[in-house]
Amino acid sequence: MGWIHPIIMAATMCGGLYALWLGYRRFLSLHLGRRVSFDWKLHVHLGTVVLALWAIGPVLGLFGAQISWGGTFIAKTHAWTGIAMLALALFGYFTGRTLDKVRRRRKWLPLAHGINNVVLVLLSIAQAWTGWGLLSMV
């Protein structure tokens, strides 16, 4: 059970990096006026899956901690960062859904969505770092 959470989260981080790359291409187009291709459907599909897994990740991690160590929030920083990621993943999902379903020219909502999701990717990298140390406890 102890390896399920890290494997899923590592794959999610990779998917998040790719969704971020796709979103960066949109940023270049929207905010910097560069003409680049942007695969909207792939970005939305991959982003939705990644954000859903980042929302489920803290729940799975707490469940895994309870089973492996007999308690939750044993890894305080890692656990609380996961909870923060849950809130950011929900914000990312709902802003992304709004951008996808109610399409019109916007400047600030895509920027807020992008900044939020950059923070999520950075937190996922930090989580990988702190999580690596926790694997010896499994």
Side-chain angles (χ1 to χ4, degrees):
M1 175 65 192
W3 282 87
I4 294 172
H5 174 74
I7 291 169
I8 291 171
M9 291 298 99
T12 303
M13 182 178 63
C14 292
L17 286 166
Y18 189 63
L20 182 64
W21 169 251
L22 293 170
Y24 173 70
R25 297 183 58 74
R26 177 68 174 149
F27 173 81
L28 291 176
S29 169
L30 186 63
H31 293 279
L32 301 182
R34 295 200 184 157
R35 296 187 62 85
V36 296
S37 63
F38 173 61
D39 192 340
W40 184 286
K41 286 183 181 183
L42 179 59
H43 177 73
V44 169
H45 178 71
L46 181 60
T48 300
V49 170
V50 166
L51 290 168
L53 288 171
W54 273 335
I56 294 167
V59 176
L60 187 60
L62 291 172
F63 180 69
Q66 181 66 43
I67 289 173
S68 297
W69 303 321
T72 56
F73 291 93
I74 305 293
K76 292 175 179 57
T77 302
H78 190 78
W80 283 111
T81 303
I83 298 299
M85 286 181 71
L86 169 61
L88 293 172
L90 291 172
F91 179 81
Y93 172 78
F94 286 111
T95 56
R97 184 160 172 82
T98 300
L99 289 167
D100 185 42
K101 297 299 179 193
V102 186
R103 292 189 187 183
R104 62 176 188 233
R105 293 202 56 78
R106 293 185 169 101
K107 189 172 190 172
W108 297 109
L109 188 59
L111 193 58
H113 175 76
I115 290 169
N116 178 79
N117 293 340
V118 166
V119 170
L120 268 168
V121 167
L122 293 174
L123 287 175
S124 77
I125 293 167
Q127 288 291 78
W129 182 263
T130 62
W132 186 258
L134 297 171
L135 288 176
S136 63
M137 297 173 60
V138 174

